[in-house]
Amino acid sequence: MSSLAQKRILLGVTGGIAAYKACELTRRLRDAGAEVRVVMTRAATEFVTPLTFQALSGQPVRGTLFDPEAEAGMDHIALARWADAILVAPATADFLARLAHGRADDLLTTLCLASEAPLCVAPAMNRAMWAHPATRANADTLCARGVHLLGPGEGSQACGETGEGRMLETPELLAGLEALFAGGSLAGLHVLVTAGPTREPLDPVRYLSNRSSGKMGYAVARAAREAGARVTLVTGPTALAPPEGIECIPVETAAEMHEVVLSRSAQVQVFIAAAAVADYRAAAVSTHKIKKSAGHLQLGLERNPDILAAVAALADRPFTVGFAAETRDLERNARTKLMKKGLDLIAANDVSGGRGFDADDNALALLWPGGGTKLPRQPKEQLARQLVRVISERLRADQGSKFKVQRGCNP
Ligand code: C5P
């Protein structure tokens, strides 16, 4: 069964010759079990009549923002909320420009702004228009904002030229849309996660450690697995059972974790450092149990390597995600850490008053260069799924800017 079964797809059609292909797309979406509502721009109606889409979708077609009849039934906000995903195919250069600038000057752009559903666009235009720096910049902006760019493809164009700018064919568009719902946002990727505390021995029976339970890191590893990734979990000592379907590498000290992580990071595309790594270790580990004496005991400590910063500094690094446990100035401290360690994303949590550690629920502020979002307090399992969703979105946005739009940032 297609992952599009029973999904509500809002299909936006803008004014390009490829609008005729959106008719076939509407049929195939319905064949896949999706409910489809079509919104056309005025220019789109110059190419195909609304009646065609009405017959194919089995639903009235919307075109204008100010439609008294529609606003009495499903108004534009209700329509924006109704959609599980929006697909704009074809998306003209003008539409991409308006979307990139946050315009809401017709029904379709308004819906794109008002909806929180994933947004896919399938550009279709003459190759010179697609190659124009203005269009490139708009596509980059959209990618960076998490819009899924489907295509364009290469080949002969309706204008008689050949090059990049063709709208993807219907099966490719369906596959792109299906990937959104397949629960496989990290499919094909290898994710490395660290979790739990580290233990820094002082002597044969004592160690320095912290209150990390490993619950968040394990939940993140499971959520990445659920999202289709191959996962390797490097874990400090915890009371948790190794999660199923995940390669688990137990370590004890920060130095061991550092060694394992660095030996694996070249093979992974995403690194998520959820471990509470001890910042210091004993400068000298006593070979015998330290005896108590009447006076003070002084321990000499030295810095542990910063595993996260070391991975972030690699020339060909994976998408690198850190955690920041803070007791005050949460976002300011976390953003400083994000920049200082050169991370792609940081998940900050407030641990003042013992919150966060060893609890079953948590709240996170997610920050990345130039943006951020908040995940409200909820069970760690659920929180981890949301974190993974944001990571996969940021990863695509990052690919968009790193590799530019020639490579696309398709799901
Ligand atoms: O600098 P701070 O310890 O607050 O940074 C926390 C983040 O850095 C966490 O993601 C943690 O896993 C990681 N970290 C690390 N190696 C260290 C210290 C922290 O990977 N030695």
Side-chain angles (χ1 to χ4, degrees), residues 31-77:
D31 287 349
E35 224 182 299
V36 184
R37 283 177 182 260
V38 178
V39 171
M40 301 177 79
T41 61
R42 200 200 50 74
T45 61
E46 302 281 344
F47 291 90
V48 184
T49 67
L51 196 61
T52 307
F53 283 110
Q54 183 170 318
L56 292 170
S57 66
Q59 297 288 340
V61 171
R62 295 281 309 266
T64 59
L65 194 48
F66 307 108
D67 176 348
E69 240 174 71
E71 294 294 306
M74 188 181 266
D75 65 51
H76 65 278
I77 297 297

Side-chain angles (χ1 to χ4, degrees), residues 10-347:
L10 199 149
L11 177 63
V13 182
T14 71
I17 182 61
Y20 80 92
K21 292 190 187 175
C23 302
E24 171 73 4
L25 180 61
T26 307
R27 286 208 56 177
R28 297 296 154 239
L29 282 167
R30 291 197 69 197
D31 287 349
E35 224 182 299
V36 184
R37 283 177 182 260
V38 178
V39 171
M40 301 177 79
T41 61
R42 200 200 50 74
T45 61
E46 302 281 344
F47 291 90
V48 184
T49 67
L51 196 61
T52 307
F53 283 110
Q54 183 170 318
L56 292 170
S57 66
Q59 297 288 340
V61 171
R62 295 281 309 266
T64 59
L65 194 48
F66 307 108
D67 176 348
E69 240 174 71
E71 294 294 306
M74 188 181 266
D75 65 51
H76 65 278
I77 297 297
L79 191 55
R81 290 196 189 123
W82 169 88
D84 291 320
I86 300 180
L87 168 61
V88 181
T92 59
D94 175 65
F95 178 78
L96 295 182
R98 288 189 292 126
L99 195 61
H101 289 273
R103 300 291 299 262
D105 49 4
D106 64 7
L107 178 62
L108 187 55
T109 45
T110 304
L111 288 170
C112 291
L113 272 191
S115 174
E116 290 175 340
L119 172 60
C120 299
V121 295
M125 66 198 74
N126 161 271
R127 54 145 201 96
M129 290 172 82
W130 174 247
H132 195 286
T135 309
R136 290 291 160 121
N138 290 332
D140 274 354
T141 301
L142 294 172
C143 272
R145 250 182 235 156
V147 174
H148 306 287
L149 215 67
L150 304 179
E154 228 181 307
S156 64
Q157 302 199 286
C159 54
E161 296 189 25
T162 302
E164 208 179 358
R166 269 173 73 101
M167 185 164 92
L168 292 186
E169 297 303 327
T170 298
E172 294 165 307
L173 293 178
L174 285 178
L177 206 51
E178 274 174 337
L180 281 184
F181 298 107
S185 59
L186 295 181
L189 301 183
H190 190 172
V191 177
L192 182 64
V193 181
T194 65
T198 63
R199 269 183 195 167
E200 309 301 326
L202 299 173
D203 68 16
V205 295
R206 301 185 182 93
Y207 54 80
L208 284 175
S209 192
N210 58 62
R211 294 178 53 192
S212 167
S213 63
K215 283 178 189 165
M216 191 67 217
Y218 276 54
V220 168
R222 268 196 297 271
R225 179 79 198 92
E226 265 174 37
R230 176 181 158 203
V231 180
T232 300
L233 176 64
V234 184
T235 172
T238 72
L240 305 173
E244 246 174 70
I246 289 174
E247 180 193 15
C248 258
I249 307 177
V251 295
E252 202 153 305
T253 65
E256 286 167 20
M257 190 175 271
H258 180 251
E259 194 187 328
V260 173
V261 166
L262 284 180
S263 73
R264 298 295 186 112
S265 39
Q267 301 132 35
V268 303
Q269 289 76 43
V270 180
F271 173 55
I272 306 171
V277 184
D279 290 324
Y280 292 93
R281 63 176 171 229
V285 180
S286 171
T287 40
H288 296 289
K289 192 177 166 201
I290 301 168
K291 294 285 175 206
K292 58 175 153 304
S293 59
H296 289 302
L297 172 67
Q298 277 205 327
L299 291 173
L301 299 178
E302 62 184 18
R303 280 293 299 268
N304 267 327
D306 190 316
I307 304 166
L308 179 60
V311 172
L314 294 172
D316 197 16
R317 71 190 168 106
F319 185 89
T320 305
V321 181
F323 274 74
E326 302 290 340
T327 53
R328 61 182 168 181
D329 288 336
L330 180 70
E331 290 192 26
R332 193 155 58 86
N333 285 335
R335 193 162 285 284
T336 305
K337 217 164 270 183
L338 173 83
M339 304 319 283
K340 221 166 123 188
K341 298 199 190 199
L343 310 179
D344 297 300
L345 192 146
I346 196 156

